[in-house]
Amino acid sequence: QVHLVESGGGSVQAGGSLTLSCAASGYTYVSLCLGWFRQTPGKEREGVAAIDTGDGTLHLADSVKGRFTMSHDNAENTVFLQMNSLKPEDTGMYYCAADWGGCTVEGGADPLKPYEYNYWGQGTQVTVSS
């Protein structure tokens, strides 16, 4: 069982920056695929970024490339989502997710799809005003 706790959300003006954190616990000595997703009311949950804690491979949604990046602190079992040049359309509840075995893309698997993950945090709200 992996337990995830997000933090760092808030309100910011367009063009600003925020860094989200996700602390993971309940596992040792295994690779995980850790992802960030966002959702607004009435819309499907959207994959933003994912990282393989074993080899550091990063996956980013096209909508955030060049603006967001994700990193992992292995010692602290924490992942970070650095969000720059924020836009109003980045507003939403941001969720951290985890699954075992790293981020695979074999057999059509997609680390930016929510169905690839078994564990979810409670979410942190990000609001970007114009």
Side-chain angles (χ1 to χ4, degrees):
Q1 184 82 12
V2 180
H3 185 58
L4 303 168
V5 179
E6 304 98 333
S7 61
S11 297
V12 64
Q13 289 193 325
S17 299
L18 279 175
T19 299
L20 305 183
S21 300
C22 173
S25 61
Y27 71 101
T28 54
Y29 307 120
V30 296
S31 295
L32 296 179
C33 186
L34 288 164
W36 283 102
F37 292 79
R38 63 188 181 191
Q39 190 170 23
T40 53
K43 292 189 176 181
E44 294 186 354
R45 196 164 290 190
E46 173 192 17
V48 175
I51 193 166
D52 187 314
T53 66
D55 62 15
T57 300
L58 178 63
H59 306 265
L60 287 170
D62 288 342
S63 60
V64 304
K65 283 180 180 176
R67 300 188 300 121
F68 291 13
T69 192
M70 185 176 180
S71 59
H72 180 244
D73 183 333
N74 283 333
E76 298 294 328
N77 288 341
T78 301
V79 290
F80 304 95
L81 183 68
Q82 175 66 45
M83 305 185 292
N84 300 318
S85 302
L86 282 161
K87 303 175 181 179
E89 51 263 44
D90 294 318
T91 293
M93 184 70 77
Y94 281 68
Y95 297 92
C96 182
D99 200 28
W100 303 108
C103 299
T104 181
V105 295
E106 297 177 1
D110 185 346
L112 296 181
K113 294 297 186 184
Y115 54 71
E116 300 286 358
Y117 295 84
N118 287 311
Y119 304 102
W120 293 85
Q122 294 300 305
T124 185
Q125 177 69 34
V126 172
T127 302
V128 184
S129 57
S130 57

Short mmCIF file of all heavy atoms in Angstrom, two decimals, residues 2-7 20-27 34 36 73 76-80 96 121:
data_model
loop_
_atom_site.label_atom_id
_atom_site.label_comp_id
_atom_site.label_asym_id
_atom_site.label_seq_id
_atom_site.Cartn_x
_atom_site.Cartn_y
_atom_site.Cartn_z
N VAL A 2 0.64 2.11 -0.96
CA VAL A 2 1.40 3.36 -1.05
C VAL A 2 0.48 4.50 -0.62
O VAL A 2 -0.65 4.62 -1.09
CB VAL A 2 1.89 3.60 -2.50
CG1 VAL A 2 2.67 4.93 -2.57
CG2 VAL A 2 2.78 2.46 -2.97
N HIS A 3 0.99 5.31 0.29
CA HIS A 3 0.24 6.46 0.78
C HIS A 3 0.84 7.74 0.20
O HIS A 3 2.07 7.91 0.26
CB HIS A 3 0.28 6.50 2.30
CG HIS A 3 -0.55 7.57 2.91
ND1 HIS A 3 -1.91 7.69 2.70
CD2 HIS A 3 -0.22 8.60 3.72
CE1 HIS A 3 -2.37 8.73 3.36
NE2 HIS A 3 -1.37 9.30 3.99
N LEU A 4 -0.01 8.61 -0.34
CA LEU A 4 0.47 9.81 -1.01
C LEU A 4 -0.17 11.05 -0.39
O LEU A 4 -1.39 11.09 -0.18
CB LEU A 4 0.10 9.75 -2.50
CG LEU A 4 0.61 8.53 -3.27
CD1 LEU A 4 -0.06 8.45 -4.63
CD2 LEU A 4 2.12 8.59 -3.41
N VAL A 5 0.66 12.06 -0.14
CA VAL A 5 0.16 13.31 0.41
C VAL A 5 0.70 14.47 -0.41
O VAL A 5 1.91 14.68 -0.48
CB VAL A 5 0.57 13.48 1.88
CG1 VAL A 5 0.06 14.82 2.42
CG2 VAL A 5 0.04 12.34 2.73
N GLU A 6 -0.22 15.22 -1.04
CA GLU A 6 0.17 16.36 -1.85
C GLU A 6 0.18 17.65 -1.02
O GLU A 6 -0.57 17.77 -0.04
CB GLU A 6 -0.79 16.57 -3.04
CG GLU A 6 -0.97 15.38 -3.94
CD GLU A 6 -2.20 14.58 -3.64
OE1 GLU A 6 -2.64 14.58 -2.46
OE2 GLU A 6 -2.74 13.94 -4.55
N SER A 7 0.99 18.60 -1.46
CA SER A 7 1.00 19.92 -0.85
C SER A 7 1.52 20.93 -1.86
O SER A 7 2.07 20.54 -2.90
CB SER A 7 1.87 19.95 0.42
OG SER A 7 3.21 19.62 0.11
N LEU A 20 4.46 21.97 -6.60
CA LEU A 20 3.70 21.00 -5.83
C LEU A 20 4.62 19.89 -5.35
O LEU A 20 5.57 19.53 -6.04
CB LEU A 20 2.59 20.39 -6.69
CG LEU A 20 1.62 21.36 -7.36
CD1 LEU A 20 0.54 20.59 -8.10
CD2 LEU A 20 1.02 22.32 -6.36
N SER A 21 4.32 19.37 -4.18
CA SER A 21 5.07 18.25 -3.63
C SER A 21 4.13 17.08 -3.36
O SER A 21 2.96 17.28 -3.04
CB SER A 21 5.74 18.65 -2.31
OG SER A 21 6.62 19.73 -2.49
N CYS A 22 4.68 15.88 -3.48
CA CYS A 22 3.93 14.68 -3.16
C CYS A 22 4.85 13.75 -2.38
O CYS A 22 5.86 13.28 -2.93
CB CYS A 22 3.43 14.00 -4.43
SG CYS A 22 2.67 12.38 -4.15
N ALA A 23 4.52 13.54 -1.13
CA ALA A 23 5.30 12.65 -0.28
C ALA A 23 4.68 11.26 -0.33
O ALA A 23 3.49 11.09 -0.06
CB ALA A 23 5.31 13.18 1.15
N ALA A 24 5.51 10.28 -0.67
CA ALA A 24 5.06 8.90 -0.79
C ALA A 24 5.60 8.07 0.35
O ALA A 24 6.77 8.23 0.74
CB ALA A 24 5.49 8.32 -2.13
N SER A 25 4.80 7.19 0.88
CA SER A 25 5.25 6.31 1.95
C SER A 25 4.59 4.95 1.78
O SER A 25 3.66 4.79 0.98
CB SER A 25 4.90 6.90 3.31
OG SER A 25 3.51 7.07 3.45
N GLY A 26 5.10 3.97 2.52
CA GLY A 26 4.52 2.64 2.49
C GLY A 26 5.22 1.67 1.57
O GLY A 26 4.72 0.57 1.30
N TYR A 27 6.39 2.04 1.08
CA TYR A 27 7.14 1.15 0.21
C TYR A 27 8.63 1.37 0.43
O TYR A 27 9.05 2.43 0.89
CB TYR A 27 6.81 1.42 -1.27
CG TYR A 27 7.37 2.72 -1.78
CD1 TYR A 27 8.54 2.76 -2.55
CD2 TYR A 27 6.75 3.93 -1.49
CE1 TYR A 27 9.05 3.94 -3.02
CE2 TYR A 27 7.26 5.13 -1.96
CZ TYR A 27 8.41 5.13 -2.72
OH TYR A 27 8.93 6.32 -3.18
N LEU A 34 5.38 7.48 -10.59
CA LEU A 34 4.65 8.53 -9.87
C LEU A 34 4.18 9.56 -10.88
O LEU A 34 4.98 10.05 -11.68
CB LEU A 34 5.55 9.17 -8.81
CG LEU A 34 5.82 8.27 -7.60
CD1 LEU A 34 7.01 8.79 -6.80
CD2 LEU A 34 4.59 8.19 -6.72
N TRP A 36 1.46 13.02 -11.90
CA TRP A 36 0.61 14.15 -11.53
C TRP A 36 -0.53 14.25 -12.54
O TRP A 36 -0.29 14.20 -13.76
CB TRP A 36 1.40 15.46 -11.53
CG TRP A 36 2.28 15.66 -10.34
CD1 TRP A 36 3.64 15.48 -10.29
CD2 TRP A 36 1.88 16.08 -9.04
NE1 TRP A 36 4.09 15.76 -9.03
CE2 TRP A 36 3.04 16.14 -8.25
CE3 TRP A 36 0.66 16.43 -8.47
CZ2 TRP A 36 3.02 16.52 -6.91
CZ3 TRP A 36 0.64 16.82 -7.14
CH2 TRP A 36 1.81 16.86 -6.38
N ASP A 73 13.02 13.12 -5.42
CA ASP A 73 14.05 13.03 -4.39
C ASP A 73 13.96 11.63 -3.79
O ASP A 73 13.07 11.35 -2.99
CB ASP A 73 13.82 14.11 -3.33
CG ASP A 73 14.89 14.12 -2.26
OD1 ASP A 73 15.52 13.07 -2.00
OD2 ASP A 73 15.11 15.19 -1.67
N GLU A 76 14.05 11.27 0.07
CA GLU A 76 12.87 11.71 0.81
C GLU A 76 11.58 11.08 0.30
O GLU A 76 10.51 11.35 0.84
CB GLU A 76 12.75 13.24 0.74
CG GLU A 76 13.93 13.97 1.36
CD GLU A 76 14.00 13.75 2.86
OE1 GLU A 76 12.94 13.58 3.50
OE2 GLU A 76 15.12 13.74 3.40
N ASN A 77 11.69 10.24 -0.75
CA ASN A 77 10.49 9.64 -1.35
C ASN A 77 9.44 10.71 -1.67
O ASN A 77 8.26 10.56 -1.36
CB ASN A 77 9.89 8.58 -0.43
CG ASN A 77 10.74 7.32 -0.38
OD1 ASN A 77 11.56 7.08 -1.26
ND2 ASN A 77 10.55 6.53 0.65
N THR A 78 9.91 11.77 -2.28
CA THR A 78 9.04 12.89 -2.61
C THR A 78 9.23 13.27 -4.07
O THR A 78 10.36 13.24 -4.57
CB THR A 78 9.36 14.10 -1.71
OG1 THR A 78 9.18 13.73 -0.34
CG2 THR A 78 8.46 15.28 -2.04
N VAL A 79 8.13 13.58 -4.72
CA VAL A 79 8.21 14.10 -6.08
C VAL A 79 7.71 15.54 -6.09
O VAL A 79 6.88 15.92 -5.24
CB VAL A 79 7.41 13.26 -7.10
CG1 VAL A 79 8.07 11.92 -7.32
CG2 VAL A 79 5.96 13.12 -6.68
N PHE A 80 8.22 16.29 -7.04
CA PHE A 80 7.89 17.69 -7.15
C PHE A 80 7.40 17.99 -8.57
O PHE A 80 7.92 17.43 -9.53
CB PHE A 80 9.11 18.56 -6.85
CG PHE A 80 9.73 18.28 -5.52
CD1 PHE A 80 10.80 17.39 -5.42
CD2 PHE A 80 9.26 18.88 -4.38
CE1 PHE A 80 11.37 17.12 -4.19
CE2 PHE A 80 9.83 18.62 -3.15
CZ PHE A 80 10.88 17.73 -3.06
N CYS A 96 -1.65 13.46 -7.05
CA CYS A 96 -0.47 12.61 -7.20
C CYS A 96 -0.95 11.16 -7.26
O CYS A 96 -1.90 10.79 -6.55
CB CYS A 96 0.45 12.83 -6.00
SG CYS A 96 1.97 11.90 -6.04
N GLY A 121 -3.49 10.31 -4.14
CA GLY A 121 -3.58 11.23 -3.03
C GLY A 121 -4.92 11.95 -3.03
O GLY A 121 -5.77 11.72 -3.90
#
